[in-house]
Amino acid sequence: MVLLKKYEIMILLTEEFNDNEVKAWVFNLAKVLRQFSVSDISVISLGKLKLSYPIDNKMKGTYIQLNFSGVPKFINNISKMLKMDSHIIRFLVLNQEK
C-alpha cells in the first residue's frame, strides 16, 4: 500500500506569460507530475501581482498554487524538476498534513 500525503506548491512564474500560456504551462506541469504518482491535482491561479521587492530584476510575477496528493519519496524529484524550469522565479513545497 502506498501512503499518499497532501502537498501544496506555490509557484512564482515570470510575468511574460498571458493567461492562455499560463494554462498551457500548468497543464504540461500537471502531466509531468502524474509521472511522479501525483493525484487529485487542483490549480488556483492568483494572477499577476507586483512583488514586494525585485527578484532577478523582475517587479511582477504570476502566482500559481497547486494542491495535490503524492508519494513523499518523489517530492525531492519534483523540486529538482521545478528548479530547472527557467520560467519559475521561486517556488515553495508545503506538506499539508500535520
Side-chain angles (χ1 to χ4, degrees):
M1 182 173 120
V2 177
L3 178 66
L4 295 178
K5 290 190 174 184
K6 293 184 180 184
Y7 292 95
E8 175 183 313
I9 300 178
M10 287 298 300
I11 299 173
L12 175 59
L13 292 173
T14 58
E15 69 173 317
E16 60 201 32
F17 288 118
N18 64 35
D19 289 340
N20 290 331
E21 291 171 332
V22 169
K23 287 178 188 176
W25 184 88
V26 170
F27 180 78
N28 289 332
L29 177 62
K31 196 175 356 176
V32 171
L33 288 177
R34 288 199 195 334
Q35 296 173 357
F36 293 108
S37 302
V38 167
S39 61
D40 302 328
I41 300 172
S42 69
V43 178
I44 301 169
S45 177
L46 303 174
K48 290 183 184 180
L49 298 172
K50 185 178 181 216
L51 304 177
S52 297
Y53 55 90
I55 302 173
D56 297 335
N57 295 322
K58 294 175 177 36
M59 289 303 297
K60 287 187 178 180
T62 303
Y63 287 85
I64 305 291
Q65 177 183 341
L66 280 164
N67 298 315
F68 62 91
S69 297
V71 181
K73 70 178 182 178
F74 292 129
I75 297 302
N76 285 338
N77 295 342
I78 292 170
S79 293
K80 288 178 186 176
M81 179 202 59
L82 292 173
K83 284 180 188 175
M84 295 184 350
D85 191 330
S86 63
H87 297 107
I88 296 176
I89 299 172
R90 298 267 168 93
F91 71 92
L92 178 64
V93 180
L94 300 171
N95 184 347
Q96 293 297 311
E97 305 214 349
K98 293 183 181 185

